[in-house]
Amino acid sequence: MRALALLLLFLGLSLPVLTLPIFSQPAAAAPPPASPEEREVAAVFESARSALAQKRGAAVVPLLSRASVDKLEQVRGVARSGNDAGLAKLEPAEKFAAMGLRRYVSPADLRRMSLGELADHGMKNGWLGPNVIGSSGLGPVRVRGDRASAILMVDNRPALVPADFVREGGAWKIDLTGVFSFGSQMLKGFAAMSGKSDEAYIEDMLQKLPAKPALMHR
């Protein structure tokens, strides 16, 4: 659950994307792709992994699908507004990302930073921990029309959430919408089992994460 929490927090930059178990992969972890399309998909994943390994979070944003960027921008907008009415309209995973941004980033920085700058900020301040990128890998890629997916391997075990990709304008992009949907389902279930509202359960989760790394270096 902590891995999911850190992933969603960074994605809400809540990103990349981007940082993520979803992006991180040692190249040797996956077998050689069998087709040119599969190689193209794997190359996008590797580009994101390489950027994250170099702590260049902003470089991952252009590799994301339009729907992914739109969702991240929505989260960023709610986080920077401080408006609880806007927060209430978000799905649980999006709420987690927005509430995490409010916890880890100052109001002034939220107003000032773009999505890419928040991604860089998260990488600089170690939101993912030192071993996340090296612990994940990409399994065999399967292409179906303009969509593709691959099994995510975390510590050499298949993850519950696949890596999804979509072809837009002739180029493959990483699609994070499934990560948010899966995260929302999990959060709803855990909140219901705890007898708490989504917001109360998410607040408890955030309190258990490491203490405000984005503010520790100021």
Side-chain angles (χ1 to χ4, degrees), residues 85-145:
L87 192 68
K89 297 178 181 178
L90 299 179
E91 290 297 312
E94 297 160 5
K95 289 179 184 177
F96 182 95
M99 291 170 67
L101 280 178
R102 291 180 183 180
R103 172 179 167 83
Y104 282 84
V105 184
S106 70
D109 282 344
L110 277 176
R111 290 191 295 270
R112 175 180 61 84
M113 288 182 177
S114 67
L115 189 63
E117 288 170 333
L118 281 170
D120 282 341
H121 185 71
M123 295 304 297
K124 177 181 177 182
N125 287 282
W127 287 2
L128 296 178
N131 300 317
V132 172
I133 293 175
S135 69
S136 303
L138 188 68
V141 176
R142 295 291 180 265
V143 177
R144 294 178 178 83

Side-chain angles (χ1 to χ4, degrees), residues 54-101:
Q54 298 171 34
K55 300 187 183 300
R56 296 185 296 111
V60 179
V61 176
L63 302 177
L64 300 179
S65 68
R66 287 189 293 268
S68 300
V69 173
D70 288 346
K71 190 172 290 292
L72 293 174
E73 289 288 10
Q74 180 186 23
V75 167
R76 183 176 71 99
V78 170
R80 71 194 298 183
S81 72
N83 187 335
D84 288 341
L87 192 68
K89 297 178 181 178
L90 299 179
E91 290 297 312
E94 297 160 5
K95 289 179 184 177
F96 182 95
M99 291 170 67
L101 280 178

Side-chain angles (χ1 to χ4, degrees), residues 8-211:
L8 289 174
L9 176 58
F10 187 71
L11 286 177
L13 323 113
S14 139
L15 228 263
V17 357
L18 288 131
T19 205
L20 306 191
I22 197 167
F23 296 140
S24 46
Q25 170 211 340
S35 73
E37 285 186 321
E38 290 168 1
R39 287 195 292 270
E40 291 171 4
V41 171
V44 172
F45 187 96
E46 174 58 24
S47 294
R49 186 211 64 79
S50 178
L52 294 174
Q54 298 171 34
K55 300 187 183 300
R56 296 185 296 111
V60 179
V61 176
L63 302 177
L64 300 179
S65 68
R66 287 189 293 268
S68 300
V69 173
D70 288 346
K71 190 172 290 292
L72 293 174
E73 289 288 10
Q74 180 186 23
V75 167
R76 183 176 71 99
V78 170
R80 71 194 298 183
S81 72
N83 187 335
D84 288 341
L87 192 68
K89 297 178 181 178
L90 299 179
E91 290 297 312
E94 297 160 5
K95 289 179 184 177
F96 182 95
M99 291 170 67
L101 280 178
R102 291 180 183 180
R103 172 179 167 83
Y104 282 84
V105 184
S106 70
D109 282 344
L110 277 176
R111 290 191 295 270
R112 175 180 61 84
M113 288 182 177
S114 67
L115 189 63
E117 288 170 333
L118 281 170
D120 282 341
H121 185 71
M123 295 304 297
K124 177 181 177 182
N125 287 282
W127 287 2
L128 296 178
N131 300 317
V132 172
I133 293 175
S135 69
S136 303
L138 188 68
V141 176
R142 295 291 180 265
V143 177
R144 294 178 178 83
D146 286 335
R147 300 200 66 86
S149 64
I151 296 174
L152 279 174
M153 304 298 293
V154 180
D155 293 328
N156 295 317
R157 294 190 300 270
L160 294 176
V161 185
D164 293 326
F165 305 84
V166 61
R167 183 158 39 197
E168 296 178 345
W172 286 102
K173 302 287 185 177
I174 299 167
D175 185 12
L176 299 178
T177 56
V179 173
F180 275 100
S181 296
F182 177 80
S184 289
Q185 292 173 6
M186 286 194 66
L187 288 171
K188 285 180 180 178
F190 283 117
M193 286 189 292
S194 71
K196 298 178 180 179
S197 67
D198 294 345
E199 289 84 353
Y201 183 78
I202 290 168
E203 185 61 36
D204 285 349
M205 287 183 63
L206 290 171
Q207 292 296 331
K208 294 174 183 176
L209 291 176

